[in-house]
Amino acid sequence: MATYIGSDDEDDYIFGTDEADRIIGKDGDDALFGGGGDDTIIGGAGQDDIFGGDDNDYLLGGAGNDAISGDAGNDTIRGGAGDDVISGGAGSDLLSGGRGKDTFVYDGANSGSDIIQDFNPSEDTLDLTGITGLTRNHLAFNATSQGVEVYSTDANINVRILLKGVTEAELTKENLLVACFVRGTAILTPAGEVPVETLAIGDLVSTLGGVERPVKWIGRRSYKRRFIGRNSEANPVLISAGALGLGVPHRDLTVSGKHAMFFDGVFVRAEDLVNGDTITRDTSLELIEYFHVELDTADVIFANGAATETFANHNSRRMFVNWREYVDLYGSEDAVQPNAAGEFERPYPLATGGDALRAVLEGLPQPEPLRRAA
């Protein structure tokens, strides 16, 4: 077994091998990847990102607010102190949050029958937003001698999780996040619409110009409510079905505030479209997870039927939790420089005010209260 130990004070970036490895991050905000084999990974102090990879791993976050993913295999994951985000991934996993307000993420599609050993109904959250088609009406509880089993009454939706030491009286459906948020956003591809979280590098997406283009990279970032309380701009913008035009989007669409939508040759940030009625800031969510689709060059794609920009790196790649993945794949962060006017290049101009923005806003369907007042 190979052993890799990080530095005392720096942020480490450590990859294991295809064999069984022992990886210790120590201090700093570390990114630790197990690879193949039955790995043991310990984050230590700091806010660490830990990925087990294949096979049956033991993962310990330690102190700090860590993000831990078991990936494939039957893993044992312990968050330790801090407010952790824990995902068992594929396989039947044994999960423990430890002290703090923890979020357990279950995507259903490839997950096995997970066991959460220390779910605290007054503080912890079970995030089921990654399961397409799941609603609160599908959820059911089954009391057992060990705790409560959470499952779906729809045989086509895979959910089966045991919360040990919990009673039905303690558990409510408010502990469970099921409403679709960004996960589940339908991206148009040559094969039809697919949930954004199922896209992978190399997959083809359909663009405004009718060209099928491959995905170069997908950036991921997430926020918990505690962070959002200090950073109101992290609250997403909820665009109701039909708010941008007849049948556009064809169902509610949630994007980050800085994300730009496309209108007749110009981009407009979602936050500049907010009208307090059909387009609003959504402040109701405990956990927000964003996916940003990047092509080889910036373009316009379709999300829930609405035209929207792809990710363009304006020296902002490090806002993603997986930014180092891009560097590993392509060798650098591809830093870019603004033009002479101090603006970053886009395939279409960005309307931030004046006549251009006014024309877009005036062309949108009026919210119901405005029509009634007219």
Side-chain angles (χ1 to χ4, degrees):
M1 174 182 287
T3 298
Y4 305 89
I5 301 177
S7 57
D8 288 329
D9 301 315
E10 296 182 0
D11 301 340
D12 300 305
Y13 187 58
I14 302 175
F15 278 93
T17 67
D18 288 335
E19 306 298 328
D21 303 306
R22 187 168 182 262
I23 301 174
I24 302 174
K26 300 186 75 171
D27 296 340
D29 300 340
D30 306 311
L32 312 175
F33 302 81
D38 298 341
D39 305 308
T40 297
I41 306 179
I42 301 173
Q47 301 187 50
D48 305 308
D49 297 322
I50 300 175
F51 304 87
D54 295 336
D55 298 310
N56 307 322
D57 307 306
Y58 175 82
L59 313 176
L60 172 62
N65 303 332
D66 306 307
I68 309 174
S69 175
D71 296 323
N74 301 326
D75 306 305
T76 298
I77 303 177
R78 301 185 184 280
D83 300 341
D84 306 307
V85 178
I86 297 173
S87 172
S92 297
D93 307 299
L94 188 63
L95 313 176
S96 171
R99 298 191 305 276
K101 298 179 179 180
D102 304 306
T103 299
F104 298 89
V105 180
Y106 186 91
D107 67 14
N110 298 307
S111 299
S113 298
D114 290 348
I115 299 175
I116 302 176
Q117 294 182 296
D118 61 350
F119 189 85
N120 184 340
S122 65
E123 292 189 330
D124 297 336
T125 299
L126 179 59
D127 179 4
L128 305 174
T129 58
I131 305 175
T132 302
L134 182 67
T135 71
R136 293 186 190 278
N137 292 332
H138 293 128
L139 291 176
F141 302 146
N142 177 38
T144 73
S145 60
Q146 298 185 65
V148 174
E149 186 179 55
V150 179
Y151 67 97
S152 170
T153 57
D154 186 332
N156 296 316
I157 299 177
N158 176 33
V159 178
R160 193 159 295 275
I161 307 159
L162 176 62
L163 308 181
K164 292 189 71 173
V166 176
T167 67
E168 285 190 83
E170 294 176 304
L171 189 66
T172 71
K173 293 183 182 179
E174 299 307 312
N175 299 104
L176 314 179
L177 300 181
V178 298
C180 290
F181 170 71
V182 178
R183 276 183 176 271
T185 298
I187 303 299
L188 184 62
T189 76
E193 292 186 325
V194 301
V196 65
E197 69 273 14
T198 68
L199 284 175
I201 292 172
D203 287 351
L204 295 177
V205 296
S206 301
T207 66
L208 180 68
V211 179
E212 300 170 1
R213 300 187 59 189
V215 172
K216 182 177 183 179
W217 186 67
I218 299 174
R220 304 190 311 272
R221 57 187 174 126
S222 61
Y223 305 101
K224 296 182 74 173
R225 176 175 285 185
R226 186 184 63 176
F227 174 88
I228 297 166
R230 301 193 303 267
N231 300 269
S232 60
E233 289 189 357
N235 282 311
V237 173
L238 174 61
I239 303 173
S240 300
L244 305 182
L246 183 62
V248 182
H250 58 64
R251 63 183 175 91
D252 291 356
L253 173 66
T254 306
V255 296
S256 59
K258 300 295 184 184
H259 194 82
M261 308 303 295
F262 179 77
F263 302 88
D264 297 326
V266 298
F267 284 128
V268 177
R269 292 191 182 104
E271 63 188 7
D272 292 329
L273 299 172
V274 171
N275 58 24
D277 190 305
T278 58
I279 306 175
T280 59
R281 286 280 190 179
D282 190 342
T283 61
S284 66
L285 300 169
E286 291 287 345
L287 179 69
I288 298 174
E289 186 175 12
Y290 289 123
F291 294 81
H292 293 243
V293 177
E294 181 177 16
L295 309 182
D296 188 55
T297 57
D299 209 329
V300 176
I301 59 176
F302 295 90
N304 290 4
T308 181
E309 70 173 348
T310 60
F311 172 69
N313 181 29
H314 296 162
N315 293 335
S316 55
R317 194 173 299 284
R318 289 198 179 200
M319 71 179 174
F320 300 109
V321 68
N322 62 325
W323 69 271
R324 289 186 177 100
E325 175 192 49
Y326 184 94
V327 176
D328 183 60
L329 288 170
Y330 301 110
S332 71
E333 294 181 58
D334 69 333
V336 295
Q337 300 298 322
N339 59 25
E343 300 173 344
F344 289 99
E345 297 293 339
R346 280 183 159 95
Y348 297 94
L350 180 68
T352 58
D355 292 340
L357 178 59
R358 188 178 305 112
V360 170
L361 297 179
E362 290 177 351
L364 297 180
Q366 290 188 11
E368 286 292 340
L370 295 180
R371 287 202 291 269
R372 286 195 297 267

